[in-house]
Amino acid sequence: MVEDNAPDSRTDRDAGTEAKSDGGRYLSVEEIPETAPTADLTWQERIANVVPSKRRGLKYVVAITIALLWIVPFIGLFMASIRPLSEIIGGWWHIEGMTITFENYYQAWNHSTAPMSVALRNTFIVTIPAVLVVMLLGVMAAYPFARFEFPLKTTLFFLILLIMAAPPELVAMGNYNALQRFGLFDTYMGLILIHIGWGLGWVVLFLRNYLLGIPKELEEAARIDGASRYQIFRTIILPLSTPALVSVAVIQFTWVWNAFFFPLVFMRSPELYLAPQALPLMRGRVQVEWGIIAAGSIMTMAVPVILFLLLERYYKRGMVAAVAD
């Protein structure tokens, strides 16, 4: 009898040893219940917990209403872009017998007066350098404001804020003659410089607030290891600033891409027109070609929307950190 029970006792002892070795994370064989545990809440109670309160429900209603009011014009614009002019004269919301066509996009792309193919190419030529240079100069200027102490620091930062408050008309008046004197009027380079100067102020302010949230201990540890200021900036600050830089890129890209006033003032050659300048030229001489204008508008706004969707995750992180800090 003793010999028969010996294996069982060894098995129980081994099981107890395993239970102690795993820190009690798993149940022993004797502790496993024979039936599944019952639910803590009934289905009525679960539904009651999911249904929002009156106050939260009112917030949902207001938010959904604002979203619908915001998106209705875009729906009308899109519907006008894929339907013939005869069907949208009476209102785009009439969908009986609706005809879907992409002829408006083809005509807008190859328009005789202001082809969107050329206008979008010109807009890319101006927007991409204006975004990249502002990002680079902005983070290089924001880092000293966030980390160093130097003479006139407060005064210079106040001047940056003052430039942000200046209206674009003032910037245009001050730079109109300067661009003509240096031979940059009616050129891509002149317009790019205007956008860089106009956007640099808010970029420095935005990135400075973000950099203040990066712990100084990381830079101090790198200094102890013998890293120079340039190495710290390149290997620590720039990688950690990626969300903020993406946020800057999305916002600056949208502003430059949709800018109408600066191209209107500084660009005069029709072959150099940007997309916002080309859209009014699609009206037509006899009647307003609403379908072609709608198609051109959709193509113009599609680029920044796609960019935002691709970089949405980094954009949110950068915006939250810069505002919170």
Side-chain angles (χ1 to χ4, degrees):
M1 294 295 293
V2 175
E3 293 179 356
D4 295 339
N5 294 332
D8 296 336
S9 61
R10 284 196 301 270
T11 303
D12 296 340
R13 187 167 57 253
D14 294 340
T17 303
E18 293 177 0
K20 294 179 181 179
S21 62
D22 62 16
R25 292 180 298 173
Y26 304 102
L27 296 176
S28 62
V29 178
E30 292 78 7
E31 295 174 337
I32 298 176
E34 297 181 357
T35 59
T38 58
D40 296 333
L41 300 176
T42 63
W43 64 270
Q44 294 92 343
E45 293 174 337
R46 292 186 178 183
I47 294 177
N49 292 336
V50 172
V51 175
S53 61
K54 293 182 178 180
R55 184 176 180 180
R56 178 170 293 183
L58 181 61
K59 292 181 180 179
Y60 289 161
V61 171
V62 173
I64 293 173
T65 303
I66 295 175
L68 291 176
L69 292 176
W70 188 271
I71 200 174
V72 163
F74 173 77
I75 296 176
L77 187 69
F78 178 74
M79 293 291 290
S81 69
I82 61 173
R83 300 176 65 182
L85 180 62
S86 59
E87 293 187 6
I88 62 176
I89 290 296
W92 60 266
W93 51 87
H94 300 297
I95 60 175
E96 296 83 1
M98 182 177 64
T99 303
I100 298 178
T101 177
F102 294 97
E103 182 65 22
N104 293 325
Y105 287 91
Y106 177 80
Q107 294 184 13
W109 186 261
N110 302 288
H111 198 272
S112 58
T113 304
M116 288 302 300
S117 57
V118 178
L120 292 177
R121 182 200 63 189
N122 297 340
T123 310
F124 272 112
I125 293 174
V126 173
T127 304
I128 292 177
V131 173
L132 296 179
V133 174
V134 162
M135 289 172 57
L136 178 60
L137 295 180
V139 70
M140 293 175 62
Y143 183 63
F145 278 108
R147 287 292 187 264
F148 303 151
E149 292 295 334
F150 51 88
L152 301 179
K153 175 182 176 180
T154 305
T155 304
L156 291 176
F157 195 72
F158 175 77
L159 290 177
I160 292 176
L161 298 180
L162 187 63
I163 294 174
M164 292 176 56
E169 293 81 6
L170 182 61
V171 176
M173 293 173 57
N175 291 278
Y176 186 89
N177 294 329
L179 292 181
Q180 284 189 331
R181 182 175 302 175
F182 290 104
L184 297 176
F185 184 79
D186 196 21
T187 62
Y188 293 137
M189 181 57 66
L191 186 59
I192 290 172
L193 291 176
I194 293 298
H195 281 300
I196 291 173
W198 177 249
L200 195 58
W202 80 266
V203 172
V204 172
L205 174 63
F206 183 89
L207 293 177
R208 169 198 173 265
N209 294 340
Y210 183 88
L211 294 177
L212 288 175
I214 298 178
K216 295 182 179 179
E217 290 77 10
L218 297 176
E219 301 176 44
E220 294 173 355
R223 293 283 291 178
I224 294 175
D225 293 337
S228 62
R229 282 293 182 184
Y230 172 74
Q231 291 174 330
I232 293 174
F233 179 78
R234 181 176 58 86
T235 60
I236 297 178
I237 299 301
L238 283 182
L240 292 178
S241 302
T242 300
L245 292 175
V246 171
S247 300
V248 167
V250 173
I251 299 175
Q252 179 72 2
F253 187 95
T254 304
W255 284 358
V256 177
W257 184 272
N258 295 325
F260 179 75
F261 178 74
F262 287 150
L264 181 65
V265 174
F266 299 111
M267 306 295 287
R268 296 297 175 84
S269 300
E271 64 273 10
L272 301 180
Y273 279 177
L274 277 64
Q277 290 176 281
L279 287 175
L281 301 178
M282 296 182 179
R283 294 184 57 186
R285 297 181 179 180
V286 180
Q287 62 180 358
V288 180
E289 298 290 345
W290 295 113
I292 298 178
I293 296 177
S297 301
I298 292 293
M299 287 190 288
T300 302
M301 72 171 61
V303 177
V305 170
I306 293 173
L307 179 66
F308 173 78
L309 294 177
L310 292 176
L311 303 176
E312 179 181 5
R313 180 180 61 177
Y314 301 99
Y315 173 81
K316 290 181 178 179
R317 288 171 52 189
M319 289 294 294
V320 170
V323 173
D325 294 331

